[in-house]
């Protein structure tokens, strides 16, 4: 199913993210985790890709398994940093042949020493979106950053580029993780004021261990509210307690989002079916997935 149909409805949706293996040795265990997440019957699942297209084949294989083996809609992430038109077209053909109808079109993080002025076919996600729109039937999503992309001078400039993505054919955007819902509410207001009308899917990261927090601090620069820091301070050294507290924190964020009219929730539960299950089960009345009706 194309996600533009699902996301333009006012019915709430719950989706989960998984990542592909880096090498074939771990393919079976990663595929198993992804299919266990699919068994939870989310509205859709997204499959990330490694920077510079390093995992494209595995991303495509995992997405195809989710669709064919479990009947769950999947979206593949595609990055364009370092990509050439010919290889991108071959990749888009493979995506569609695998039965995938949706892609999240991203620039990707710049590899160390990357020269943006060297000859690359795509510089920004909006150029990738323009290309995909013109050369495929895929439904296209993009990324957005409630706290601004780390390379942007300010949120306003960043939002101008989200508008550019929409004009290029982007049909929805998924947010970077955030831990303070007020940041998202203010961001949504600014997006809508700028004329960005496409659906926004709120990305929620359940932080279930202290190592994850270190990575988040390094990569996203997300604001961490006092309530969140107190939780990590109190439970960070106790893996079972941190896991439980992290799932509850994420679930409370989701309940607040739904109460305030945000309808599409994407959980960065990564390859942790148990975490995805706990969140799904805690929300089974207020955000039912197909499984709740079975
Ligand atoms: P862009 O939209 O190109 O933006 C990058 C920067 O350039 C921003 O600062 C923006 O303001 C600026 N910009 C945009 N357009 C222009 C323009 N026309 N002129 C000048 N400046 C411009 N990375 C992966 O490697 N694999 C993944 O699977 C993956 N999944 C992700 C999923 C989500 C939901 C999110 C939020 C991020 C994901 N990322 C992933 C990370 C993402 O690739 C990086 O954050 C990357 O640095 C930016 O990608 P983008 O698509 O937002 O780029």
């Amino acid at each position: 199913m194309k996600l533009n149909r699902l996301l333009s409805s006012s019915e709430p949706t719950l989706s989960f993210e998984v990542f592909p293996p880096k090498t074939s040795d771990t393919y079976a265990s990663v595929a198993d985790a992804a299919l266990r997440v699919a068994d939870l019957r989310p509205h859709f699942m997204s499959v990330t890709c490694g920077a510079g297209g390093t995992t494209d084949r595995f991303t495509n294989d995992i997405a195809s398994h989710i669709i064919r083996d479990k009947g769950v809609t999947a979206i593949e992430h595609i990055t364009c940093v370092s990509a050439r038109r010919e290889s991108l077209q071959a990749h888009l053909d493979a995506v569609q042949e695998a039965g995938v109808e949706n892609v999240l079109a991203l620039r990707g993080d710049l590899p160390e020493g990357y020269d943006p002025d060297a000859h690359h076919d795509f510089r920004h996600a909006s150029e990738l979106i323009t290309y995909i729109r013109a050369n495929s039937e895929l439904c296209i999503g993009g990324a957005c950053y409630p706290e601004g992309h780390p390379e942007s001078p300010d949120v306003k400039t960043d939002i101008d580029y989200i508008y550019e993505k929409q004009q290029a054919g982007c049909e929805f955007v998924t947010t970077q993780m955030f831990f303070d819902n007020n940041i998202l509410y203010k961001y949504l207001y600014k997006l809508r004021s700028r004329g960005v009308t496409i659906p926004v899917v709120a990305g929620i990261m359940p932080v279930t261990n202290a190592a994850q927090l270190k990575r988040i601090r390094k990569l996203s620069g997300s604001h961490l509210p006092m309530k969140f820091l107190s939780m990590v301070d109190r439970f960070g050294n106790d893996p079972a307690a941190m896991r439980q507290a992290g799932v509850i924190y994420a679930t409370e964020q989701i309940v607040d989002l739904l109460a305030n009219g945000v309808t599409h929730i994407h959980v960065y539960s990564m390859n942790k079916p148990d975490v995805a299950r706990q969140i799904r089960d805690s929300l089974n009345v207020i955000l039912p997935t197909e499984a709740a009706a079975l």
Side-chain angles (χ1 to χ4, degrees), residues 98-231:
V100 178
E101 295 180 280
N102 308 284
V103 287
L104 198 76
L106 304 147
R107 184 195 68 182
D109 285 320
L110 303 179
E112 203 142 318
Y114 186 80
D115 174 8
D117 294 324
H119 182 71
H120 304 290
D121 282 347
F122 307 95
R123 206 176 167 114
H124 290 291
S126 51
E127 293 166 22
L128 176 63
I129 292 165
T130 301
Y131 182 88
I132 300 174
R133 177 82 303 135
N135 293 285
S136 80
E137 296 298 317
L138 291 157
C139 167
I140 310 168
C144 69
Y145 302 82
E147 295 172 73
H149 184 268
E151 291 165 34
S152 297
D154 50 54
V155 175
K156 184 181 171 302
T157 311
D158 207 32
I159 288 179
D160 286 340
Y161 296 129
I162 303 299
Y163 181 78
E164 196 171 283
K165 289 186 195 188
Q166 172 180 278
Q167 299 310 93
C170 184
E171 292 160 275
F172 66 93
V173 278
T174 302
T175 74
Q176 176 63 286
M177 68 187 87
F178 56 91
F179 299 94
D180 177 347
N181 287 357
N182 288 322
I183 291 174
L184 182 81
Y185 301 140
K186 284 186 197 142
Y187 182 67
L188 286 176
Y189 178 76
K190 289 180 190 164
L191 275 181
R192 298 316 185 205
S193 306
R194 178 62 184 85
V196 177
T197 54
I198 50 180
V200 177
V201 181
I204 296 295
M205 168 74 89
V207 176
T208 54
N209 62 63
Q212 219 181 336
L213 184 62
K214 261 194 203 153
R215 275 199 305 279
I216 290 166
R217 279 200 160 119
K218 190 168 161 232
L219 292 176
S220 77
S222 301
H223 165 68
L224 302 174
M226 193 49 78
K227 182 180 167 192
F228 181 89
L229 291 170
S230 309
M231 173 187 81

Side-chain angles (χ1 to χ4, degrees), residues 3 6 14-19 30-48 59 62-67 70-77 100 102-104 172 265-267 269-273 276:
L3 287 181
L6 190 68
L14 178 66
S15 52
F16 294 117
E17 184 154 303
V18 292
F19 56 83
V30 170
D32 177 63
L35 296 182
R36 284 169 58 210
V37 175
D39 281 335
L40 302 173
R41 314 298 305 160
H43 292 90
F44 66 92
M45 285 171 66
S46 69
V47 188
T48 68
T59 297
I62 299 276
S64 173
H65 269 308
I66 290 168
I67 295 167
K70 299 292 176 180
V72 171
T73 298
I75 172 164
E76 275 193 40
H77 295 199
V100 178
N102 308 284
V103 287
L104 198 76
F172 66 93
I265 310 291
H266 187 64
V267 181
S269 50
M270 309 317 282
N271 297 6
K272 294 180 192 151

Side-chain angles (χ1 to χ4, degrees), residues 60 86 88-98 135-136 138:
N60 200 26
E86 307 74 50
L88 176 68
Q89 187 58 55
H91 183 45
L92 292 178
D93 293 344
V95 166
Q96 291 171 104
E97 275 158 30
N135 293 285
S136 80
L138 291 157

Side-chain angles (χ1 to χ4, degrees), residues 46-59:
S46 69
V47 188
T48 68
C49 62
T54 44
T55 63
D56 284 354
R57 187 167 61 85
F58 296 132
T59 297

Side-chain angles (χ1 to χ4, degrees), residues 238-278:
D238 178 340
M242 182 62 215
R243 186 186 159 88
Q244 187 171 57
V247 167
I248 291 171
Y249 189 96
T251 308
E252 282 182 2
Q253 256 193 293
I254 296 171
V255 171
D256 180 72
L257 289 170
L258 292 166
N260 284 283
V262 176
T263 38
H264 303 300
I265 310 291
H266 187 64
V267 181
Y268 297 114
S269 50
M270 309 317 282
N271 297 6
K272 294 180 192 151
D274 297 347
V275 168
R277 176 178 290 282
Q278 283 167 28

